């Protein structure tokens, strides 16, 4: 395979990935939050609690229609980091 074909293949993969991410709608965020919450309940740790909450909040914000998929991803990432940083010590203190 030459370099031109590799670049073309990589471009096609990136286009497919962007199309997949752009197709994420608010109900997908809520389903992700539900799946993470179920996995959290099965595991008994708090590792998946905060990403589940972040997915639910992102889904609710996405339902407003004011954000695109890039903003949704950024909101989810920021919420996961913030909720994990501030929520985890709180839960450990309450145990």
């Amino acid at each position: 395979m030459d370099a031109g074909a590799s670049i073309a293949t990589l471009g096609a993969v990136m286009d497919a990935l962007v199309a997949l991410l752009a197709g994420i709608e608010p109900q997908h965020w809520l389903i992700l939050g539900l799946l993470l919450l179920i996995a959290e309940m099965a595991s008994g740790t708090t590792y998946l609690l905060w990403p589940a909450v972040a997915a639910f909040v992102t889904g609710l914000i996405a339902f407003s229609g004011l954000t695109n998929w890039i903003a949704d991803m950024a909101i989810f990432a920021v919420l996961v980091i913030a909720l994990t940083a501030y929520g985890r010590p709180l839960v450990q203190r309450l145990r």
Side-chain angles (χ1 to χ4, degrees):
M1 191 182 263
D2 64 359
S6 295
I7 292 173
T9 303
L10 181 61
V13 170
M14 290 304 295
D15 288 341
L17 181 60
V18 168
L20 176 73
L21 292 175
I24 296 176
E25 296 184 7
Q27 64 269 22
H28 296 119
W29 286 110
L30 298 178
I31 291 169
L32 175 65
L34 182 63
L35 291 174
L36 288 170
L37 193 58
I38 290 169
E40 169 61 38
M41 290 168 43
S43 71
T45 64
T46 59
Y47 295 121
L48 297 175
L49 177 64
W50 307 116
V53 172
F56 282 126
V57 172
T58 302
L60 294 176
I61 292 170
F63 267 120
S64 72
L66 300 175
T67 59
N68 60 8
W69 69 271
I70 298 171
D72 290 341
M73 294 290 171
I75 290 168
F76 179 70
V78 168
L79 283 174
V80 166
I81 292 168
L83 289 171
T84 301
Y86 295 112
R88 203 166 146 76
L90 177 67
V91 169
Q92 289 186 356
R93 198 175 326 133
L94 294 175
R95 281 188 179 189

